[in-house]
Structures are given as structure tokens and as C-alpha cells.
């Protein structure tokens, strides 16, 4: 575990680091988990499973192999020690867990829906690709072979329904089906968790609407507006450039997401600033 901290004054930074370290040491443990603990973890996190065997190659690793009781595919869960490094200094080790459950479950579902996906490719004149398992953040991607993409919301929903029908435990509830036109341009995604099709603009907006909801249980999103960055009054030096977002410059136009709390209007902008403890936060004029 490597932690890099930037920004904020030194005193607050040290306090934040010490607090984080205490939390990690309190919850992480100082030795690998026992077989009993790993079995409980697997059943709680992934569903009921049969323990097949346990390996302990050394004092810092324990690996348990399981068979999923619902679908019969096999996977492992390992408990291992990970060194805590903060600014190049070692603060001991903490216990962590890893597993290949995700890819094994995803491969199982792909096998189950494979013939149906092939039929949909022919029916809608599209190509469908699935994740290689390196990082699973979508069910599938579709690529149109013609310029007619008018049915994209219905097609992506049909594919999403194939996956979610097999995924009876709703493990993949946050995954999407992405769509691209014949030139490879991104059209949007069907979001199972929101039961709807979203364009790129919809997806861009929804992350800020979700952030607003995290500010207060009483927050109600109203609308969005475009304004110049200078209207915010924020020093450009305090802005944190966010990967995937447009670079913020003094003459930039930024989006204000307007919301209310207890009848009072506030806004959140689509750029981040340094907070008071060395981290980052979306810029807003609302304070809890």
C-alpha cells in the first residue's frame, strides 16, 4: 500500500496520516486471516460456497479454494500481508484479501449468454465484445456496423437483461452495456442500476447529481447552468485538474449544478479544489 499526500499545511497533513494509520491498523489486522475467517469472508461477500482446499505457502499468505454452490464455478480467496508505506517510510504490515471471483463469475455468465449474444449480433447487425477480465466495469460493448443507431437504447437493454437474468444475486448491479457507432464513437450506455439509457452528457451530469446527494439527505437537484470560471471566485492555483475532465483555465466555462437544502439554493461545480486536510473535493458553496 503506497500513499502519496499533497497539499494542505503540514500539521493537518500529519494528523490526517496518523488518523489513517490508526484506522488501517485497527481494522486491517497484523497477521493473515485463518481458514475459518476466509470461509466466512467468501460466503458473506460472494455467496454460499464449498471449501475445496486450503494452501499456506508461508506465514504471510493463506489461499482458500472454493466452488460456488449456485453455479459450480471455482475461485480462490487469499489473505496476505501488505507493507504500509507512507512518504517512503514503512509503518509495518496489514492484512489484505484478494480473489479471482469477479473474473470467474463474469466468465461463467459470458458462457451462459454466449449463444444469445451471437443471435443478437445477427439480428441487429452489430458486433458485441466482452471484457478481457483485466478490469470488469461493463457487461459488454456493442459496435454498430451501419449508420442506423436509432434502436440503441432497446438493444443495450436487451443485452443487459441477458446478464442480469443470470446474475440472480445482483452482484453486477452497477455494470453497463456500452454502445459505439460504426466509426467507433461512443454513444452512451445502458445502466442496469438506473434502469435506463444514458448519453455521455447524461453520465457526466449524473456523477455530480450523486455527489450532491452525498452532501445532505435533504439535497434536491434542480438544474444546471453554464457560467465563467471567474464567477466562482476560486483562485486558479487551488484547482485540481481531474483526469477525464476538461482542463480548467481562468477563461474556462464551468457547469453549475443547482440544488436546494431546506429551501435554500446552492451549487456544485464540475471541478475540484484542495480541501483543508490535503485532499480534494468538488467545489461547492454548500457547507454542512
Amino acid at each position: 500500500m503506497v500513499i502519496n499526500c499533497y497539499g494542505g499545511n503540514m500539521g493537518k497533513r500529519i494528523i490526517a496520516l496518523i488518523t489513517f494509520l490508526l484506522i488501517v491498523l485497527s481494522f486491517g489486522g497484523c497477521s493473515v486471516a485463518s481458514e475459518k475467517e476466509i470461509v466466512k469472508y467468501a460466503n458473506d461477500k460472494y455467496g454460499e460456497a464449498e471449501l475445496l482446499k486450503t494452501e499456506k505457502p508461508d506465514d504471510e499468505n493463506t489461499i482458500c479454494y472454493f466452488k460456488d454452490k449456485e453455479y459450480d464455478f471455482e475461485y480462490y480467496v487469499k489473505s496476505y500481508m501488505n507493507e504500509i508505506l507512507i512518504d517512503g517510510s514503512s509503518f509495518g504490515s496489514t492484512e489484505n484479501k484478494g480473489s479471482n471471483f469477479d473474473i470467474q463469475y463474469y466468465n461463467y455468465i459470458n458462457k451462459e449468454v454466449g449463444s444469445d449474444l451471437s443471435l443478437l449480433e445477427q439480428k441487429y447487425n452489430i458486433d458485441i465484445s466482452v471484457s478481457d477480465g483485466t478490469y470488469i466495469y461493463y457487461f459488454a460493448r456493442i459496435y454498430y456496423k451501419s449508420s442506423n443507431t436509432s434502436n440503441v437504447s432497446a438493444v443495450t437493454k436487451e443485452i443487459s437483461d441477458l446478464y442480469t437474468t443470470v446474475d440472480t444475486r445482483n452482484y453486477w448491479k452497477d455494470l453497463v452495456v456500452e454502445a459505439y457507432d460504426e466509426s467507433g464513437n461512443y454513444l452512451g450506455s445502458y445502466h442496469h442500476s438506473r434502469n435506463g439509457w444514458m448519453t455521455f452528457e447524461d453520465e457526466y451530469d449524473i456523477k455530480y447529481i450523486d455527489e450532491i446527494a452525498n452532501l445532505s439527505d435533504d439535497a434536491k437537484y434542480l438544474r444546471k447552468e453554464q457560467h465563467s470560471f471567474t464567477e466562482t471566485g476560486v483562485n486558479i492555483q487551488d484547482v485540481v485538474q481531474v483526469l477525464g475532465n476538461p482542463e480548467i483555465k481562468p477563461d474556462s466555462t464551468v457547469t453549475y449544478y443547482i440544488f436546494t437544502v431546506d429551501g435554500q439554493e446552492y451549487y456544485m461545480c464540475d471541478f475540484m479544489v484542495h480541501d483543508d486536510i490535503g485532499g480534494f473535493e468538488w467545489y461547492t458553496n454548500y457547507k454542512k
Side-chain angles (χ1 to χ4, degrees):
M1 181 183 299
V2 180
I3 303 167
N4 294 309
C5 298
Y6 303 93
N9 61 56
M10 184 60 70
K12 290 180 178 178
R13 179 184 173 190
I14 292 174
I15 291 173
L17 288 174
I18 292 174
T19 301
F20 175 81
L21 181 60
L22 290 174
I23 292 173
V24 169
L25 292 176
S26 296
F27 291 96
C30 297
S31 61
V32 293
S34 65
E35 178 184 273
K36 182 178 179 180
E37 290 170 331
I38 295 175
V39 170
K40 183 179 186 306
Y41 172 88
N43 280 273
D44 289 346
K45 186 173 178 63
Y46 303 126
E48 289 189 40
E50 174 190 355
L51 176 64
L52 300 177
K53 65 177 180 178
T54 299
E55 295 178 351
K56 193 170 177 58
D58 52 52
D59 291 339
E60 296 192 347
N61 292 275
T62 299
I63 308 171
C64 291
Y65 296 85
F66 297 91
K67 176 184 285 189
D68 186 86
K69 286 190 175 179
E70 184 174 10
Y71 296 129
D72 286 338
F73 64 86
E74 297 181 8
Y75 66 95
Y76 68 78
V77 175
K78 61 181 177 181
S79 173
Y80 60 96
M81 301 305 295
N82 200 11
E83 187 176 13
I84 302 173
L85 296 174
I86 301 178
D87 287 349
S89 298
S90 176
F91 289 82
S93 298
T94 184
E95 187 266 344
N96 288 268
K97 292 182 180 67
S99 177
N100 68 340
F101 175 87
D102 283 10
I103 183 58
Q104 295 298 90
Y105 188 19
Y106 181 70
N107 286 342
Y108 167 80
I109 294 179
N110 279 325
K111 183 178 179 181
E112 291 294 300
V113 303
S115 59
D116 291 312
L117 293 180
S118 296
L119 291 175
L120 291 180
E121 286 182 318
Q122 299 173 26
K123 178 180 178 180
Y124 295 116
N125 192 29
I126 57 175
D127 286 325
I128 302 176
S129 71
V130 299
S131 173
D132 63 2
T134 304
Y135 182 66
I136 304 167
Y137 66 95
Y138 57 84
F139 282 130
R141 286 175 170 167
I142 73 169
Y143 297 86
Y144 277 88
K145 295 181 179 181
S146 71
S147 59
N148 183 8
T149 62
S150 60
N151 60 359
V152 64
S153 62
V155 174
T156 50
K157 180 183 186 306
E158 192 169 347
I159 294 171
S160 179
D161 289 346
L162 282 177
Y163 280 87
T164 54
T165 298
V166 178
D167 179 25
T168 56
R169 67 194 69 178
N170 207 25
Y171 184 79
W172 296 119
K173 61 182 182 296
D174 295 324
L175 294 192
V176 303
V177 177
E178 298 180 350
Y180 297 80
D181 66 17
E182 61 179 340
S183 298
N185 298 310
Y186 180 65
L187 298 173
S189 299
Y190 184 86
H191 290 248
H192 169 62
S193 62
R194 298 181 184 276
N195 297 312
W197 163 261
M198 290 187 180
T199 64
F200 175 79
E201 184 177 359
D202 294 331
E203 293 174 329
Y204 186 86
D205 290 343
I206 202 68
K207 76 178 174 183
Y208 299 104
I209 296 171
D210 287 345
E211 290 291 343
I212 286 169
N214 291 332
L215 292 176
S216 169
D217 292 338
D218 298 318
K220 295 180 177 59
Y221 171 71
L222 297 178
R223 65 188 183 277
K224 66 177 180 176
E225 300 175 358
Q226 300 290 317
H227 294 279
S228 66
F229 169 76
T230 55
E231 289 184 41
T232 66
V234 175
N235 188 323
I236 192 67
Q237 301 300 321
D238 294 330
V239 173
V240 179
Q241 300 298 340
V242 179
L243 184 66
N245 279 24
E247 182 181 359
I248 301 297
K249 300 179 180 179
D251 61 349
S252 292
T253 297
V254 297
T255 302
Y256 283 52
Y257 294 89
I258 314 299
F259 62 99
T260 62
V261 177
D262 298 329
Q264 179 67 42
E265 282 196 8
Y266 301 93
Y267 60 82
M268 174 182 285
C269 294
D270 60 343
F271 64 87
M272 299 193 89
V273 293
H274 292 280
D275 63 20
D276 294 331
I277 59 172
F280 320 122
E281 61 185 1
W282 297 106
Y283 178 69
T284 176
N285 66 342
Y286 174 78
K287 300 298 179 185
K288 295 182 181 180

